[in-house]
């Protein structure tokens, strides 16, 4: 049942992606293209994951591994523990092993040109999943599959703008940022800032990284509760940091969701439960279910086809009432 739903959604998204697709110019020019498609059970894909920092990441890893297992394609998997050097090492090792494709979720945006050029020189196409790189040379990757993080930040900002539209007093917002230099941290801050700028009463009085982890969110929130007298709202770049902030707020004798409102991004199960319980006020969804779409990209390239350079995941938002409704069917 679950599998079926995911692959239907993925197929829809990919068809949309392919509809706007420019022809020609598949990256890399693999030997496979000249020889025709390889049987799927002979394909080898190397995937360099960021780490296991959050509920989102765990769901993403599971989904990708399950999708490749279902497709009968071998997936080599590595966990970089949120360190760029580990990811680069993993990619180099995939190049050395001569895998057919490399996919990875870059922990930060910068610093990828050298290793991506090595993959290109080896004729191995690279697919970016989830996070972007800031490389000027777009020929270094075939496709970037994942969310529009600026849009997510804007959706969070829209809720805050609406919530405080009648206020005549300053609203003190603190921001728990994701990993410094990571695409979702940069973009979620940017989208949010752009929207809340419409109301001069809305002010981000403190902003610090919690590295996308629950422990990080808790620690930063504890410090902020001490240094910032009247916090009205927390904007956390993911659920896990928001959940850590809830612990800190409760430990300080305050009521999360009431004394201090909380807006987060992701909508993983624990986040949705806290939203349904009234401890979080609003969540912007970011889907970790990228596995089926990634498999489709690999299969399309293997067949000699081309894929859209940018495939954006479709996402929604959740209020507390919507979380109560959605929770029973939530898969991750
Ligand atoms: O929001 C966060 C995770 O890159 C979209 O990384 C992903 C983010 C996600 O650690 O929970």
């Amino acid at each position: 049942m679950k599998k079926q739903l995911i692959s239907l959604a993925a197929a829809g998204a990919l068809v949309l992606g392919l509809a706007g697709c420019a022809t020609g110019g598949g990256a890399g020019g693999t030997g496979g293209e000249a020889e025709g498609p390889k049987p799927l059970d002979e394909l080898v894909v190397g995937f360099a994951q960021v780490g296991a920092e959050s509920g989102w990441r765990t769901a993403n890893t599971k989904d990708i591994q399950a999708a490749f297992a279902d497709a009968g394609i071998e997936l080599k998997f590595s966990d970089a523990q949120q360190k760029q050097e580990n990811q680069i090492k993993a990619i180099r090792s995939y190049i050395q092993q001569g895998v057919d494709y490399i996919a990875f979720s870059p922990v930060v945006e910068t610093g990828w040109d050298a290793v991506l050029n090595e993959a290109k020189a080896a004729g191995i196409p690279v697919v970016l999943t989830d996070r972007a790189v800031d490389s000027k040379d777009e020929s270094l990757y075939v496709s970037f599959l994942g969310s529009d993080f600026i849009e997510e930040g804007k959706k969070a900002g829209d809720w805050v703008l609406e919530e405080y539209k009648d206020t005549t007093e300053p609203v003190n917002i603190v921001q728990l940022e994701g990993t410094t230099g990571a695409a979702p941290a940069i973009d979620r801050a940017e989208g949010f800032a752009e929207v809340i700028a419409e109301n001069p009463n809305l002010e981000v009085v403190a902003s610090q990284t919690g590295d996308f982890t629950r422990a990080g969110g808790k620690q930063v929130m504890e410090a902020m509760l001490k240094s910032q007298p009247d916090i009205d709202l927390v904007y956390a770049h993911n659920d896990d940091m928001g959940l850590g902030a809830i612990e800190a707020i409760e430990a300080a004798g305050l009521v999360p969701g009431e004394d201090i409102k909380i807006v987060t991004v992701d909508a993983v199960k624990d986040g949705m439960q806290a939203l349904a319980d009234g401890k979080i006020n609003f969540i912007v969804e970011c889907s970790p279910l990228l596995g089926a779409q990634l498999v489709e990209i690999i299969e399309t390239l293997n067949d000699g086809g081309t894929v859209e350079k940018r495939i954006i995941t479709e996402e929604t938002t959740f209020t507390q009432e919507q979380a109560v409704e959605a929770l029973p069917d939530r898969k991750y």
Side-chain angles (χ1 to χ4, degrees):
M1 173 76 156
K2 179 187 169 194
K3 247 178 266 157
Q4 211 180 352
L5 284 176
I6 295 168
S7 50
L8 280 177
L14 204 65
V15 168
L16 279 180
L18 285 168
C21 183
T23 50
T30 54
E33 275 170 40
E35 293 154 16
K38 261 196 184 182
L40 294 185
D41 62 0
E42 286 178 21
L43 276 182
V44 181
V45 177
F47 186 80
Q49 181 61 291
V50 171
E53 73 281 4
S54 64
W56 190 100
R57 188 65 54 196
T58 309
N60 179 247
T61 293
K62 268 196 200 152
D63 187 62
I64 287 170
Q65 289 177 329
F68 278 87
D70 282 357
I73 298 173
E74 185 184 339
L75 184 74
K76 291 182 183 291
F77 181 87
S78 58
D79 172 338
Q81 300 183 325
Q82 297 232 72
K83 292 200 179 75
Q84 181 171 34
E85 71 216 63
N86 291 346
Q87 264 191 321
I88 291 175
K89 258 189 227 154
I91 294 169
R92 289 217 165 105
S93 127
Y94 294 146
I95 296 171
Q96 232 157 28
Q97 292 170 57
V99 300
D100 297 293
Y101 298 92
I102 292 172
F104 81 114
S105 174
V107 59
V108 292
E109 283 189 346
T110 54
W112 298 102
D113 285 32
V115 73
L116 290 179
N117 269 303
E118 290 166 32
K120 189 178 177 183
I124 303 173
V126 173
V127 180
L128 303 178
T129 66
D130 157 38
R131 296 185 183 177
V133 297
D134 74 348
S135 303
K136 300 269 175 307
D137 181 359
E138 289 198 349
S139 77
L140 294 179
Y141 57 92
V142 204
S143 183
F144 167 31
L145 162 67
S147 310
D148 181 338
F149 300 131
I150 295 186
E151 196 52 39
E152 290 172 351
K154 284 185 182 169
K155 288 179 187 168
D158 284 339
W159 185 86
V160 174
L161 203 60
E162 178 63 23
E163 180 71 9
Y164 294 99
K165 64 172 189 293
D166 298 325
T167 187
T168 49
E169 311 241 302
V171 177
N172 295 330
I173 299 169
V174 298
Q175 176 168 248
L176 304 180
E177 300 163 22
T179 303
T180 306
I186 296 168
D187 294 353
R188 286 173 185 165
E190 185 186 321
F192 184 78
E194 192 188 312
V195 170
I196 64 160
E198 285 177 39
N199 180 347
N201 283 318
L202 302 174
E203 197 192 338
V204 176
V205 292
S207 185
Q208 217 179 301
T209 181
D211 216 10
F212 279 130
T213 66
R214 210 174 281 209
K218 184 178 178 193
Q219 212 183 342
V220 172
M221 194 64 209
E222 278 165 357
M224 284 178 170
L225 282 162
K226 285 184 190 133
S227 61
Q228 301 295 328
D230 293 308
I231 299 171
D232 296 300
L233 181 129
V234 176
Y235 168 42
H237 288 179
N238 78 343
D239 288 350
D240 280 82
M241 291 190 295
L243 292 163
I246 288 174
E247 290 176 32
I249 291 168
E250 287 177 338
L254 296 167
V255 182
E258 288 178 25
D259 296 332
I260 298 181
K261 299 208 162 107
I262 304 179
V263 176
T264 65
V265 184
D266 274 356
V268 295
K269 213 168 205 158
D270 289 355
M272 291 289 275
Q273 186 62 59
L275 182 61
D277 293 344
K279 296 184 178 192
I280 292 179
N281 300 79
F282 187 68
I283 301 185
V284 176
E285 184 184 43
C286 177
S287 177
L289 305 179
L290 304 176
Q293 281 168 289
L294 179 58
V295 164
E296 282 207 51
I297 291 173
I298 301 291
E299 288 181 352
T300 303
L301 295 172
N302 184 49
D303 286 342
T306 51
V307 294
E308 181 85 342
K309 195 88 198 180
R310 176 76 171 105
I311 300 171
I312 299 179
T313 320
E314 275 181 40
E315 286 151 356
T316 183
T317 59
F318 295 97
T319 60
Q320 292 174 336
E321 297 72 32
Q322 289 166 332
V324 173
E325 252 174 66
L327 252 181
D329 300 324
R330 210 69 189 157
K331 296 286 187 285
Y332 58 90

